Amino acid sequence: PPAAVVLIDTYPLDSGTLPELLHTLTGEMLEKHELSAYLTDARLTAMGAYMRLLSDWEPTAVTAPTLLVRASDPMPGMSVDREWRTSWNLPQTVIDVQGDHFTGMETHAESTAQAVEKWLSTDLCSSTSEAQVEIR
């Protein structure tokens, strides 16, 4: 079994925020030339297929410790009138990192990686009997 699960700004499909996030993400990708390369026919088709495959999926708790890494800033254009951060109704540790959904993995990629590495090497190892965690 996995030693741990790390979700990086991952929204559950039943999230009330997901439709707005997808709309904002798509708009952001279309506006940023370097991100528009991600919107190929194959990727859009795959995204649609994943959404269909997962539409009836219900997440269940796993035995592995789980980390949810959340962006500390909303995507530009997202409504902040309600809770916009992701959350899961399953046991997890939550860490908020700098940036939004994109910049947390771009501009702030190093600090995001450091937060995950710290949890894997310190927090996770101190709570498990096996202190061997491979970071890939």
Side-chain angles (χ1 to χ4, degrees):
V5 175
V6 177
L7 303 168
I8 299 182
D9 211 40
T10 305
Y11 286 76
L13 290 177
D14 64 353
S15 165
T17 307
L18 187 61
E20 181 183 5
L21 177 70
L22 290 174
H23 178 19
T24 304
L25 287 174
T26 305
E28 190 78 7
M29 285 181 170
L30 290 172
E31 286 180 20
K32 289 186 173 182
H33 178 68
E34 66 274 9
L35 295 177
S36 64
Y38 290 110
L39 296 177
T40 65
D41 291 345
R43 287 186 176 168
L44 288 171
T45 301
M47 286 170 48
Y50 286 133
M51 295 299 265
R52 273 193 317 280
L53 283 171
L54 297 173
S55 65
D56 294 332
W57 175 70
E58 291 288 329
T60 58
V62 294
T63 57
T66 302
L67 173 66
L68 174 60
V69 178
R70 299 188 314 179
S72 61
D73 300 323
M75 290 286 300
M78 277 190 80
S79 171
V80 292
D81 294 340
R82 59 186 167 89
E83 183 55 50
W84 55 268
R85 287 187 179 103
T86 184
S87 64
W88 289 76
N89 294 324
L90 297 169
Q92 69 209 288
T93 299
V94 178
I95 296 175
D96 292 335
V97 296
Q98 292 178 329
D100 62 34
H101 187 78
F102 282 118
T103 63
M105 295 300 290
E106 296 169 347
T107 309
H108 305 291
E110 186 173 342
S111 61
T112 299
Q114 288 171 348
V116 172
E117 185 175 23
K118 178 186 179 296
W119 181 77
L120 288 172
S121 63
T122 306
D123 300 342
L124 178 64
C125 288
S126 66
S127 65
T128 61
S129 58
E130 293 182 23
Q132 294 181 337
V133 176
E134 184 177 339
I135 300 170
R136 295 181 185 197

